[in-house]
Amino acid sequence: MEFKKILITGGAGFIGSHLVRLFINKYPNYHIVNLDKLTYAGNLSNLHDIENKTNYEFIKGDIVDASFINQLFLEQKFDGVIHLAAESHVDRSISNPLEFVMTNVIGTVNLLNAAKANKKEDGFRFYHVSTDEVYGSLGETNMFTESTAYDPHSPYSASKASSDHFVRAYHDTYGMDIVISNCSNNYGSFHFPEKLIPLSIYNIKNNKPIPIYGKGENIRDWLWVEDHARAIDLIFHNAKKGNTYNIGGHNEWTNIDLIHLLCKIMDKKLNRAAGDSAKLITYVKDRAGHDLRYAIDSSKLQNDLGWIPTLQFEEGLEKTVDWYLNNEVWLNNVTSGDYEKYYKEQYSKR
Ligand code: NAD
Ligand code: DAU
């Protein structure tokens, strides 16, 4: 499929900024509109290198504001939407579920309604970017496939599951051209330091405790964020209408093993004695409803569209550490202001 004007929501966030950059550079003939509310997680400095490109436009706005969204679709006549805007952090969803219902559910339905009312007759596609957390938790064996039943546990995953269902309902009820992908844990540059990897890098750098929930035995399947962006690009352009694709790294790590590897890399990068950073590991009270294991079977994406992850985890983690150590200003900016308050609220009673 070919597009002329694409709306990317949440393009100033972690994954969104990588996707916007990929599209701006790869598709100079597309006009890319990045709509973002710039919450604590959205940051225009993530897009500093492409902000003056002629095929790029940024609009600050809230997807929860239905009349603003309708007006935007009426004026802009998008032929494609890639929807990433969301509240994305599980711990925040446990403290404030309603915010997640508003943005992730109501915001998504607002976009679907505006698209339905204003979509171009000669082709339109709505791509919803979702998470493997909608499938719930695995035991020691098996993997999530596209036909795994939904079983979300956290307010975050419940809100994403609900939005996935709404997107499919607009396909089944109104014939909208939709595609959905459900991806595992991403890592890489511009990741907000509330998530395990960037938070641990920040704390190790500052000699602060590394909080490990429970026994550190929970397993996540980690994927280099640029591999996720490449998968979204392939699916958006090539998937058949109504399809779902799982995206994952085939890269399962217990949290504690991951943190030991990260500590080893940080010791080397910071010229510390071997084992120094690992002394910061601190076991804390577990996350409520903590899913044990996620693992993605992405063979449908590999077989249909030829996608495979490119980067080995150790190499990707080292690149990530280098990025954070070389981008102190970015890190200092995002950890100033409300960050300290958030950190105290989440961790002081653990
Ligand atoms: P993020 O929290 O880094 O960024 C979210 C972006 O959405 C921010 O720029 C924020 O300002 C914007 N936003 C939030 N509320 C908004 C609103 N009401 N209106 C407009 N913009 C708003 O998130 P991320 O990690 O980049 O995740 C992006 C998407 O990918 C989310 O939908 C998430 O569920 C999904 N996802 C994330 C991962 C992951 O590992 N991070 C994995 C799978 C799927
Ligand atoms: O699986 C995809 C999901 O991955 C995305 O949909 C979410 O948006 C994204 O935030 C991520 O969710 P997780 O909850 O898996 O990521 P997080 O980095 O918060 O936690 C990863 C693991 O590390 C999880 O088992 C909880 C644990 N953890 C996390 C933090 C923040 C700790 O042990 N200590 C911590 O301080």
Side-chain angles (χ1 to χ4, degrees):
M1 287 174 84
E2 282 274 309
F3 297 90
K4 292 191 190 76
K5 194 182 252 195
I6 298 171
L7 175 69
I8 297 182
T9 71
F14 166 47
I15 301 169
S17 59
H18 286 276
L19 185 74
V20 167
R21 180 172 297 101
L22 173 72
F23 270 57
I24 290 292
N25 290 324
K26 186 168 173 187
Y27 301 108
N29 297 329
Y30 291 2
H31 184 87
I32 306 293
V33 177
N34 171 13
L35 170 71
D36 199 297
K37 185 182 172 185
L38 300 182
T39 67
Y40 77 93
N43 188 345
L44 285 181
S45 70
N46 297 359
L47 292 160
H48 189 55
D49 53 323
I50 54 103
E51 66 190 3
N52 293 323
K53 297 274 186 166
T54 50
N55 58 340
Y56 176 66
E57 184 181 347
F58 174 73
I59 296 176
K60 185 172 178 196
D62 187 345
I63 58 170
V64 178
D65 182 345
S67 61
F68 161 75
I69 292 295
N70 274 323
Q71 190 60 30
L72 180 73
F73 274 71
L74 186 66
E75 285 165 9
Q76 298 262 4
K77 300 282 178 233
F78 301 113
D79 52 10
V81 173
I82 309 180
H83 174 38
L84 294 100
E87 287 294 334
S88 69
H89 191 39
V90 173
D91 294 326
R92 288 185 195 254
S93 82
I94 294 168
S95 315
N96 186 6
L98 193 56
E99 187 80 27
F100 284 67
V101 177
M102 295 309 291
T103 291
N104 299 359
V105 185
I106 308 290
T108 301
V109 176
N110 283 342
L111 289 167
L112 288 165
N113 279 339
K116 178 163 125 350
N118 298 293
K119 74 181 154 55
K120 294 176 77 178
E121 291 311 319
D122 55 346
F124 173 86
R125 165 156 281 190
F126 190 101
Y127 185 142
H128 180 58
V129 175
S130 192
T131 170
D132 60 357
E133 299 199 11
V134 298
Y135 298 125
S137 183
L138 292 164
E140 279 171 20
T141 55
N142 293 335
M143 295 178 122
F144 298 133
T145 71
E146 287 79 0
S147 52
T148 302
Y150 276 31
D151 183 23
H153 297 133
S154 70
Y156 163 69
S157 54
S159 70
K160 291 297 289 188
S162 172
S163 61
D164 289 11
H165 290 317
F166 270 105
V167 174
R168 286 200 187 93
Y170 275 61
H171 169 264
D172 297 350
T173 310
Y174 309 112
M176 188 181 283
D177 180 338
I178 65 98
V179 283
I180 299 179
S181 58
N182 297 88
C183 187
S184 63
N185 289 61
N186 287 213
Y187 72 100
S189 52
F190 303 115
H191 206 181
F192 192 81
E194 64 188 350
K195 310 280 166 54
L196 179 67
I197 292 179
L199 180 140
S200 302
I201 294 173
Y202 178 68
N203 284 11
I204 295 169
K205 182 172 175 284
N206 294 300
N207 271 308
K208 286 169 61 174
I210 310 166
I212 303 290
Y213 297 166
K215 295 180 179 159
E217 287 168 352
N218 303 69
I219 293 173
R220 297 291 182 265
D221 169 3
W222 293 93
L223 178 70
W224 178 241
V225 61
E226 291 177 26
D227 282 333
H228 187 189
R230 266 193 319 109
I232 294 173
D233 177 22
L234 272 176
I235 295 166
F236 184 60
H237 285 93
N238 302 299
K240 291 203 184 93
K241 175 180 168 177
N243 258 258
T244 292
Y245 282 93
N246 279 354
I247 312 171
H250 284 279
N251 179 40
E252 291 181 51
W253 287 77
T254 62
N255 293 334
I256 192 63
D257 286 349
L258 185 162
I259 292 302
H260 275 293
L261 173 62
L262 183 66
C263 287
K264 206 173 96 188
I265 296 171
M266 292 292 284
D267 282 343
K268 193 173 77 182
K269 300 283 175 190
L270 297 170
N271 294 318
R272 290 184 183 165
D276 260 12
S277 299
K279 288 182 194 146
L280 298 168
I281 292 173
T282 309
Y283 291 93
V284 300
K285 188 170 158 216
D286 208 352
R287 174 184 278 174
H290 198 172
D291 288 336
L292 177 66
R293 174 172 167 254
Y294 304 144
I296 281 276
D297 177 352
S298 59
S299 49
K300 180 179 173 194
L301 180 57
Q302 303 196 12
N303 295 335
D304 284 6
L305 303 179
W307 175 89
I308 45 163
T310 58
L311 215 58
Q312 289 304 306
F313 192 49
E314 267 201 68
E315 188 189 347
L317 208 50
E318 197 161 332
K319 278 174 88 148
T320 304
V321 168
D322 283 340
W323 187 86
Y324 280 91
L325 296 181
N326 291 329
N327 285 275
E328 252 191 344
V329 174
W330 185 94
L331 197 52
N332 289 341
N333 281 343
V334 300
T335 51
S336 62
D338 285 348
Y339 183 81
E340 271 305 313
K341 187 168 164 258
Y342 164 79
Y343 200 88
K344 270 202 193 99
E345 275 166 13
Q346 286 291 336
Y347 293 98
S348 62
K349 291 185 220 109
R350 275 207 136 102

